[in-house]
Amino acid sequence: MTITIPAKTAAVYKDVDILVVGGGPAGIGAAVAAGRSGCSTLLLEKRGFLGGNITASYVETCNHFMHSIHFEVSGIYAELETQYRARFENSGDIRPNAANRFSSEYLKIFLDSFVQSAGVEVCLHSFVNEVIRERDTLAYVLIQSKQGPVAVRAKQVIDCTGDSDVAFASGVPFDQGRDKDHQCQPGTVNFRIVGVDSAALMAGGHDQLKEIGRKFREDYRAGKTGLACKRQDIPMGRLTANGLLSYINYPCAYGIDPTSFKDLTRGEMECRTYILEIVDYMRSHFPGFERVELASIAPEIGFRDSRRIHGDYRLTIDDVLNSQHFDDTIAVFPQFYDMLSPDANMNEGSPQDAGYNGYICSYPKDDLTFEIPYRSLLPLGMDNLLVAGRCICADHVAESGIRAISACMYTGQAAGTAAGLAVQRALTPRTVPVPVLQDSLRSQHCKF
Ligand SMILES: Cc1cc2nc3c(=O)[nH]c(=O)nc-3n(C[C@H](O)[C@H](O)[C@H](O)COP(=O)(O)OP(=O)(O)OC[C@H]3O[C@@H](n4cnc5c(N)ncnc54)[C@H](O)[C@@H]3O)c2cc1C
């Protein structure tokens, strides 16, 4: 059954040059680049804080997969890392490679000033799922506020919602999940514990957490754990001297459509039952965990993939593996893919299987990189909309590489810069001269 919704009126809150929707890694890159271009820029975020998955889902290990290579991060991501470290150092983290991790709590505070100092107006608690489209242009974007709908007019709009909610509302076609059944990677509710015996776990400079994780996986595979959750790995993040262990990436719910409120409800609740179970298990099976307590559960279930727009170019896993060169490249990233099987199958899968047969993962190696073309940020049929982050135009396995937090910030920075050029030159994103965009990104210290 359907109903027809009566027409409503909405106050127009602002008329800006550039509107960025979504304040995660991509939205931060986009908003900061747009603000610095001198264009009036508004950033809308549905939650009460910025950071996206890093802060809302405790994904604090932004670049852990890069620790064994020499890839030099650049652009706004590099600035963010440097400025964060200058203020919060390693946020009390005593594990090796701490420089690849943030504290999501300090990061929330840091991002407020980092984004606003670029001249960006930030509106939190601003959920967007409706637009007014006139032919190929977004005339208005509507915030669903507690006071009713509020409209924003913008010359250029950048969708950084992770789920491409703005593009979806605009009618842009999309893919979701793997080709055969549209299943996505599982949703995960990360959590934190306190009371870990940090001194024992780091005794003699040896990180025992790695060994504990290895044994857990072995026991799971041997059918010894008796746990209900199908996740066979237990990556763990930040450990402080005071016994706080953060980013425990274990509880996974499978078969969830990240855009369905019914599925999201099931995912959140199912993962909470797994948290209770695994905390008990840790206490009784992990050395140094005998006295732990559950400290906090991430505010929201996190997703590694959902909608991926149809754009002017679909980046494929073959492009990634062949280091395909593009004339319109706007970012270069280490060759990397990491896709949890939608079926919880931990057998080693091949990227060419497109996620059908197991866990598809390859960590970066020195000198192997891939390029991201600007055309993948341009949604089909739209003249004032760009998309950045994990929902750009890519196939399912390629997405598992471009979803890396720093890569999302690179595509965000490129989209923000392109939108700035489009406003300044009265162009559409599609007609922005690519060499000018590339020069501008290089002048912002982006390396590609
Ligand atoms: C459990 C887990 C582990 C991961 N591990 C790693 C890792 O170790 N390293 C790594 O690099 N990556 C990792 N990832 C992937 C990474 O977190 C994401 O790919 C990345 O955060 C995507 O960035 P984004 O900006 O595109 O989207 P998001 O981080 O999802 O940010 C989107 C933002 O938009 C907001 N938003 C969404 N919809 C709307 C709307 N309609 N209106 C207004 N605002 C909206 C959200 O609140 C959010 O702030 C992991 C992900 C998960 C879930």
Side-chain angles (χ1 to χ4, degrees):
M1 191 179 113
T2 56
I3 58 159
T4 303
I5 300 169
K8 285 186 190 174
T9 53
V12 178
Y13 170 65
K14 274 265 153 90
D15 188 341
V16 290
D17 290 330
I18 299 173
L19 173 67
V20 179
V21 185
I28 292 158
V32 169
R36 287 181 183 169
S37 76
C39 293
S40 59
T41 302
L42 177 64
L43 170 61
L44 301 178
E45 165 56 48
K46 71 171 180 170
R47 297 184 175 117
F49 48 84
L50 300 176
N53 269 348
I54 313 175
T55 49
S57 304
Y58 294 174
V59 181
E60 298 177 321
T61 54
C62 295
N63 271 345
H64 71 285
F65 48 85
M66 293 226 227
H67 74 263
S68 54
I69 57 165
H70 299 94
F71 184 77
E72 202 185 328
V73 291
S74 67
I76 290 169
Y77 182 81
E79 270 180 64
L80 185 150
E81 260 196 4
T82 309
Q83 290 184 29
Y84 176 94
R85 300 278 162 234
R87 197 162 157 199
F88 300 110
E89 297 179 342
N90 285 341
S91 356
D93 192 350
I94 56 170
R95 292 188 74 188
N97 301 312
N100 288 318
R101 292 184 287 268
F102 296 98
S103 148
S104 57
E105 306 308 337
Y106 290 125
L107 191 70
K108 282 180 192 166
I109 299 165
F110 173 83
L111 288 174
D112 289 344
S113 53
F114 184 70
V115 172
Q116 290 182 99
S117 65
V120 176
E121 181 189 354
V122 179
C123 289
L124 303 175
H125 298 282
S126 301
F127 181 72
V128 170
N129 68 352
E130 237 181 295
V131 299
I132 299 175
R133 176 176 173 170
E134 290 171 358
R135 290 182 295 281
D136 294 341
T137 303
L138 289 184
Y140 293 96
V141 167
L142 296 176
I143 304 172
Q144 308 301 329
S145 89
K146 278 192 182 276
Q147 297 169 335
V150 175
V152 175
R153 191 174 177 81
K155 292 189 181 78
Q156 298 297 332
V157 180
I158 310 175
D159 182 346
C160 299
T161 59
D163 299 322
S164 57
D165 286 353
V166 181
F168 173 72
S170 311
V172 174
F174 64 92
D175 294 317
Q176 186 167 313
R178 61 185 175 188
D179 289 345
K180 73 168 179 181
D181 57 6
H182 311 297
Q183 287 290 316
C184 295
Q185 299 183 64
T188 304
V189 180
N190 294 320
F191 65 98
R192 294 182 183 135
I193 52 177
V194 286
V196 176
D197 187 344
S198 307
L201 287 169
M202 289 296 134
H206 296 299
D207 184 354
Q208 301 293 332
L209 289 170
K210 279 200 158 173
E211 173 54 23
I212 289 172
R214 194 200 55 72
K215 175 145 189 352
F216 176 80
R217 185 176 166 149
E218 203 176 275
D219 288 350
Y220 196 108
R221 290 188 148 214
K224 290 186 190 163
T225 65
L227 294 163
C229 177
K230 293 187 211 142
R231 172 90 148 131
Q232 305 184 11
D233 268 336
I234 189 158
M236 296 177 269
R238 219 162 37 92
L239 177 69
T240 71
N242 293 330
L244 173 88
L245 180 59
S246 185
Y247 181 53
I248 303 172
N249 175 349
Y250 171 74
C252 278
Y254 291 82
I256 305 276
D257 174 349
T259 64
S260 150
F261 66 90
K262 283 298 293 173
D263 281 12
L264 289 169
T265 306
R266 171 167 76 78
E268 299 273 14
M269 291 187 180
E270 192 177 310
C271 286
R272 283 197 276 274
T273 67
Y274 297 149
I275 290 175
L276 213 52
E277 192 185 35
I278 191 73
V279 172
D280 277 346
Y281 185 90
M282 288 168 141
R283 260 191 225 111
S284 51
H285 289 80
F286 291 4
F289 284 61
E290 294 79 6
R291 296 164 63 84
V292 299
E293 282 178 50
L294 176 61
S296 65
I297 297 177
E300 221 173 277
I301 187 167
F303 287 93
R304 298 159 176 87
D305 68 306
S306 67
R307 295 188 193 110
R308 307 181 312 274
I309 58 144
H310 287 193
D312 288 5
Y313 186 84
R314 187 172 191 252
L315 187 74
T316 66
I317 188 61
D318 288 334
D319 292 334
V320 172
L321 295 175
N322 296 330
S323 306
Q324 181 63 49
H325 171 68
F326 302 103
D327 288 342
D328 62 337
T329 290
I330 43 83
V332 166
F333 203 70
Q335 238 178 58
F336 159 68
Y337 47 92
D338 178 9
M339 190 159 89
L340 273 65
S341 156
D343 311 307
N345 174 355
M346 283 300 280
N347 295 327
E348 199 176 318
S350 131
Q352 275 75 17
D353 290 337
Y356 302 158
N357 296 315
Y359 179 36
I360 300 178
C361 180
S362 164
Y363 275 15
K365 295 167 196 70
D366 267 331
D367 300 329
L368 278 181
T369 54
F370 72 96
E371 302 187 11
I372 305 177
Y374 177 53
R375 283 164 296 157
S376 297
L377 280 52
L378 300 176
L380 284 187
M382 297 302 302
D383 273 347
N384 68 338
L385 179 63
L386 291 130
V387 171
R390 65 183 158 95
C391 49
I392 66 170
C393 187
D395 73 23
H396 196 208
V397 189
E399 189 274 350
S400 76
I402 53 120
R403 76 176 170 92
I405 284 164
S406 44
C408 289
M409 214 170 281
Y410 295 161
T411 55
Q413 183 166 5
T417 304
L421 289 167
V423 170
Q424 283 154 358
R425 297 173 175 226
L427 297 169
T428 68
R430 208 163 262 112
T431 57
V432 164
V434 167
V436 176
L437 170 62
Q438 291 170 325
D439 283 350
S440 175
L441 286 168
R442 289 194 180 105
S443 73
Q444 299 168 51
H445 312 293
C446 294
K447 294 205 175 102
F448 58 90

